[in-house]
Amino acid sequence: MHTSRVVRSDVVGSLLRPEYLKRAWSARESGELGQAEYKKIEDRAVNEAIALQVGAGLDAVTDGEMRRYAFYGHLIDCVEGFEKLGGWAIAFRDEAGNETRLERPVVVSRLRRRRHLCGEEFAYLRARTDRVAKSTLVSAQQAAAYFDPEKSSGAYPNIDAYLADVVDILRDEVAELARLGCSYVQVDAPQYAGLLDPAIRAGYQRRGSDPDRLLERCIELDNAVIGSHPGVMFGLHLCRGNNDSKFYASGGYDPIAARVFRGARFQRFLLEYDDERSGGFEPLRHVPDDRTVVLGLVTTKKPALESAESLTRRIREAALFIPLERLALSPQCGFASTMQGNRVTADDQAAKLRRIAEVARELWPPTGGKAR
């Protein structure tokens, strides 16, 4: 267990997939490459991801999500019952109005776990680093988006019956990670973004859904998934969408801050704060005294490298609302929430990870103590 370590320089999860891995993935999907050979290539990509993060000086590392085709891919690949591309597509856009549509999965039969979602990922990672090894897990509310009243009705009478199975699977996964010795589990919950964006909130209301009731449901589901595991640190990652350097939602944390920060039982909140779409730091007032906020100030969407001075200044601005000793630093999201990845290079990515570690060491010199 590594919970005795303070994690000041953090990483959200995914890293850019190397081109050789993308080619191998396509070859495996088309049947041109066998599974055993593919695994060797996949392992190489994970080894390189670990080396990159350790070399950058980060306190916590992931496997880069190299074994997933998207941040939610572990659920789809490890659980029977989903059609990979049959769900409703959502639009990601950039500041210029360009759009990328992402087709999502849909549940079409009863869920049955084929294998553990994160067991292989974590066991391999744990054996190859002495840093805090983080495992990332999709949230139940994200999986809720894969229920379609028409396409899913043959499998489940309603979304609640479906979500009950999702929560059972995810709760078992958390227990398995704890059994394997994982000390840091991050739940990725971009669906919360729809509950802070004014336009999306208005859309929910027009369709007869109360966004605040949906928010309470998100929190209930996530709390049920993480359960109670002493010695495991749980982080909740909130972002506004991340695909092809584009976003899904905009808006400050104000509409959800009090309920999420006080109602969710996570010890860490990893928050997107890389541009004005995220609003100000005032909502951090609602974070309870025993929780840590990881400021996602370094963007994964654009190649320009943030200066150490600008990052330090923004962290000190946040410290006006929450003490500096309860803050940490990370990218605003993953570099490749999908296989395609964001529009940055491997060199851009490496420079940003190094900058995070550099600023964290300067602001929080290593002194040991309890991870928060």
Side-chain angles (χ1 to χ4, degrees), residues 28-341:
R28 186 194 60 169
E29 290 290 291
S30 65
E32 298 169 39
L33 184 67
Q35 182 67 6
E37 193 58 37
Y38 178 74
K39 276 292 167 190
K40 293 176 187 173
I41 297 169
E42 195 177 63
D43 289 350
R44 173 189 163 194
V46 173
N47 293 344
E48 290 175 2
I50 296 169
L52 169 65
Q53 295 166 91
V54 171
L58 296 173
D59 294 328
V61 303
T62 72
D63 75 340
E65 297 180 4
M66 296 292 158
R67 305 190 193 279
R68 307 181 188 183
Y69 73 91
F71 78 93
Y72 50 80
H74 55 323
L75 178 69
I76 310 309
D77 285 340
C78 298
V79 177
E80 195 175 280
F82 293 102
E83 188 180 296
K84 196 176 258 187
L85 297 174
W88 55 283
I90 60 170
F92 291 82
R93 61 193 184 280
D94 60 20
E95 291 85 353
N98 300 308
E99 280 197 0
T100 295
R101 296 191 72 77
L102 178 70
E103 281 190 273
R104 300 198 290 185
V106 63
V107 62
V108 292
S109 61
R110 297 287 296 199
L111 300 186
R112 188 179 69 81
R113 191 179 65 199
R114 297 189 185 103
R115 61 185 184 275
H116 277 292
L117 281 64
C118 306
E120 177 195 5
E121 293 177 347
F122 177 73
Y124 190 92
L125 173 64
R126 178 196 59 191
R128 284 159 180 81
T129 183
D130 60 357
R131 304 292 167 100
V132 176
K134 178 200 280 194
S135 189
T136 59
L137 190 65
V138 69
S139 69
Q141 192 62 27
Q142 176 68 24
Y146 310 149
F147 182 88
D148 181 288
E150 293 180 11
K151 294 182 179 179
S152 306
S153 59
Y156 291 96
N158 54 54
I159 192 170
D160 292 322
Y162 160 66
L163 283 173
D165 278 359
V166 169
V167 168
D168 282 347
I169 288 168
L170 296 179
R171 188 193 286 125
D172 284 351
E173 196 60 32
V174 168
E176 174 68 2
L177 284 167
R179 188 188 71 78
L180 289 171
C182 184
S183 61
Y184 188 3
V185 177
Q186 173 185 300
V187 173
D188 290 317
Q191 286 302 108
Y192 283 74
L195 303 172
L196 56 80
D197 185 300
I200 299 175
R201 283 175 68 87
Y204 276 123
Q205 290 164 335
R206 282 195 302 274
R207 293 191 297 273
S209 290
D210 177 357
D212 292 323
R213 176 66 196 110
L214 285 174
L215 178 65
E216 288 166 15
R217 185 192 204 186
C218 289
I219 296 167
E220 288 166 9
L221 291 170
D222 287 332
N223 283 343
V225 165
I226 67 173
S228 177
H229 296 278
V232 182
M233 179 168 67
F234 289 97
L236 183 67
H237 171 55
L238 305 182
C239 78
R240 294 157 182 77
N242 184 53
N243 181 38
D244 188 30
S245 287
K246 298 179 177 68
F247 54 85
Y248 162 65
S250 300
Y253 291 100
D254 308 78
I256 69 172
R259 287 184 178 87
V260 172
F261 296 150
R262 293 173 184 169
R265 294 192 295 103
F266 292 76
Q267 294 96 340
R268 275 167 96 78
F269 297 107
L270 294 97
L271 305 180
E272 180 177 51
Y273 262 119
D274 63 325
D275 63 22
E276 61 282 353
R277 285 185 306 106
S278 302
F281 295 123
E282 291 81 2
L284 301 184
R285 286 195 183 104
H286 297 290
V287 178
D289 292 344
D290 59 346
R291 316 294 172 84
T292 292
V293 168
V294 186
L295 297 172
L297 296 172
V298 174
T299 190
T300 65
K301 291 182 167 68
K302 296 175 182 175
L305 178 62
E306 293 80 357
S307 71
E309 294 74 20
S310 67
L311 293 174
T312 300
R313 184 180 68 252
R314 294 205 69 202
I315 292 167
R316 294 204 180 281
E317 287 171 4
L320 297 174
F321 303 98
I322 181 172
L324 185 64
E325 62 267 22
R326 291 199 287 118
L327 291 172
L329 181 62
S330 75
Q332 122 278 343
C333 198
F335 286 87
S337 298
T338 60
M339 181 73 72
Q340 176 183 358

